[in-house]
């Protein structure tokens, strides 16, 4: 509903719904809690989504981004029962939610709402043992409750497509014909309770690459799994700021700081991928139309919005110290 400034559902209609038989594809969308001001907004948003997409039902309908204090709002508006009614009416085939929080809260939500049919989780081999994201723990909770998992961020915003040379070489030595991103997608696709892996693709080459190993999927063996866990440790050592570039943090920034872009330049500089001169030039271009890292007001809205639970305010201080000459 909110992606691409509210046009993603329209794009789906033009690219898919108008061109193919309804039974030949599956369509998903989400109900965003932060768009709700009154109970009537639930009906308005749901109806708008159906009109934008041009469909008579959604295969998967998700409550958008449960976690932290956001979960309480779904209770306050009784969104659970509202969507259950939509399912009874045949407007929703499968009802679930996307989740960015800890395994303990996920267990609580699934215990209180057994009617939820699936969970969409951030899962990848880099976040598998993360204390913040808790990919493995959340996956195990979903499995305990018998809820299949739809995977988001399998390549962690592109981080697992652009890995250190030592990781790339270790993958190539074992499978010369497989791409680097394929290791990330195959890792989560090999898990028993994963129903679907969502892969963000930017061009036809990436699409064809995904199809090449997923059309006749072969799960990872023990040696491959061990390789990706070793790769995770090497990647962690090379990343200064573990940002996925989702840009949720920038939407309400009062100083219009391009936070993910500044973090990207900082990371490249720290890894030695660009020279100091190149880093400074990229930083200058990024801050011409937006705020500098040192201009952060520490209001904290970015940290509330961050699915990775990053300490963005402190990281911006690190960026400022590295990239800016203080007045």
């Amino acid at each position: 509903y909110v992606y691409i400034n509210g046009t993603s559902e329209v794009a789906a209609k033009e690219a898919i719904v108008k061109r193919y038989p309804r039974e030949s594809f599956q369509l998903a969308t989400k109900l965003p809690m932060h768009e709700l001001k009154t109970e009537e907004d639930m009906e308005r948003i749901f109806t708008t989504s159906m009109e934008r997409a041009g469909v008579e039902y959604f295969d998967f309908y998700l409550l958008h981004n449960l976690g932290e204090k956001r979960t309480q709002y779904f209770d306050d508006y009784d969104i659970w029962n509202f969507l259950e009614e939509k399912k009874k009416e045949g407007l929703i085939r499968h009802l679930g939610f996307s989740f960015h929080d800890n395994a303990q809260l996920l267990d609580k939500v699934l215990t209180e709402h057994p009617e939820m049919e699936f969970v969409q989780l951030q899962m990848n081999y880099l976040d598998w043992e993360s204390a913040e994201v808790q990919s493995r723990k959340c996956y195990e909770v979903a499995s305990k409750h018998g809820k299949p998992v739809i995977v988001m961020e399998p390549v962690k915003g592109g981080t697992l497509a652009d890995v250190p040379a030592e990781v790339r070489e270790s993958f190539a030595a074992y499978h010369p014909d497989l791409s680097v991103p394929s290791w990330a997608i195959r890792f989560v696709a090999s898990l028993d309770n994963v129903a679907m892996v969502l892969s963000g693709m930017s061009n036809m080459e990436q699409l064809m690459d995904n199809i090449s190993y997923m059309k006749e999927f072969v799960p990872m063996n023990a040696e491959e799994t061990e390789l990706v866990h070793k790769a995770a440790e090497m990647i962690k050592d090379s990343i200064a700021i573990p940002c996925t570039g989702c840009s949720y943090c920038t939407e309400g920034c009062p100083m219009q700081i391009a936070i993910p872009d500044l973090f990207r330049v900082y990371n490249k500089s720290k890894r030695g991928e660009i020279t100091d001169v190149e880093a400074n030039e990229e930083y200058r271009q990024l801050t011409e139309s937006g705020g500098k890292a040192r201009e952060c007001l520490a209001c904290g809205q970015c940290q509330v919005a961050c699915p990775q639970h990053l300490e963005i305010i402190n990281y911006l201080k690190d960026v400022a110290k590295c990239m800016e000459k203080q007045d």
Side-chain angles (χ1 to χ4, degrees), residues 15-290:
I16 304 169
V17 176
K18 286 185 176 181
R19 298 180 181 182
Y20 302 99
R22 181 64 182 90
E23 66 275 10
S24 69
F25 61 89
Q26 295 179 319
L27 196 64
T29 194
K30 302 176 183 178
L31 178 71
M33 174 277 299
H34 59 274
E35 293 284 323
L36 298 178
K37 299 296 183 290
T38 67
E39 289 189 11
E40 289 72 25
D41 286 337
M42 293 187 292
E43 184 68 45
R44 175 183 59 79
I45 289 172
F46 186 85
T47 301
T48 300
S49 286
M50 295 199 74
E51 291 174 350
R52 284 176 176 172
V55 294
E56 296 179 350
Y57 67 90
F58 288 112
D59 299 279
F60 299 91
Y61 197 80
L62 296 84
L63 303 179
H64 192 169
N65 194 11
L66 266 73
E68 297 180 345
K69 296 179 180 179
R70 298 183 298 276
T71 306
Q72 183 61 43
Y73 288 102
F74 291 99
D75 295 332
D76 293 343
Y77 285 98
D78 196 21
I79 295 174
W80 313 96
N81 285 326
F82 170 79
L83 293 179
E84 269 290 287
E85 287 301 314
K86 295 299 181 187
K87 187 182 175 191
K88 290 177 182 177
E89 294 171 17
L91 304 178
I92 297 171
R93 293 285 172 89
H94 301 287
L95 184 57
F97 58 90
S98 60
F99 186 82
H100 288 283
D101 209 317
N102 62 59
Q104 184 178 1
L105 180 58
L106 179 60
D107 190 36
K108 180 176 183 292
V109 172
L110 289 176
T111 299
E112 293 176 353
H113 296 283
E115 73 275 15
M116 293 291 104
E117 298 175 83
F118 67 93
V119 185
Q120 185 167 306
L121 298 174
Q122 175 174 325
M123 284 172 39
N124 55 69
Y125 68 78
L126 191 61
D127 290 324
W128 192 239
E129 298 296 347
S130 165
E132 293 78 24
V133 180
Q134 298 188 1
S135 284
R136 176 182 59 79
K137 290 181 178 179
C138 286
Y139 169 75
E140 290 173 352
V141 166
S143 300
K144 181 185 77 171
H145 284 271
K147 308 301 180 184
V149 173
I150 294 176
V151 177
M152 56 182 162
E153 296 288 353
V155 194
K156 198 173 173 65
T159 298
L160 302 183
D162 184 18
V163 297
E166 55 186 337
V167 173
R168 187 179 296 274
E169 290 165 5
S170 70
F171 288 164
Y174 194 95
H175 271 309
D177 298 330
L178 283 181
S179 67
V180 170
S182 74
W183 287 81
I185 293 176
R186 288 182 63 238
F187 172 75
V188 290
S190 298
L191 297 167
D192 291 338
N193 193 40
V194 165
M196 185 181 299
V197 182
L198 306 179
S199 172
M201 297 166 284
S202 304
N203 53 47
M204 185 60 73
E205 182 182 0
Q206 293 173 4
L207 174 61
M208 298 309 294
D209 179 51
N210 281 358
I211 291 173
S212 70
Y213 56 83
M214 290 300 294
K215 191 172 184 179
E216 297 180 9
F217 179 67
V218 178
M220 277 190 167
N221 60 37
E223 287 183 344
E224 292 173 310
T225 302
E226 181 63 22
L227 266 179
V228 298
H229 286 312
K230 289 180 179 178
E233 295 306 313
M234 290 186 279
I235 294 168
K236 286 174 186 175
D237 291 340
S238 73
I239 299 176
I241 304 176
C243 169
T244 65
C246 71
S247 297
Y248 284 4
C249 58
T250 62
E251 293 179 6
C253 177
M255 301 307 294
Q256 297 184 314
I257 300 172
I259 298 169
D261 293 324
L262 300 192
F263 287 172
R264 175 180 51 79
V265 174
Y266 180 80
N267 281 337
K268 288 198 299 181
S269 177
K270 287 296 182 181
R271 288 198 299 261
E273 295 176 2
I274 54 177
T275 65
D276 290 345
V277 173
E278 291 170 330
N280 290 334
E281 177 57 22
E282 281 195 45
Y283 187 84
R284 183 192 65 77
Q285 292 177 5
L286 288 170
T287 55
E288 279 185 341
S289 57

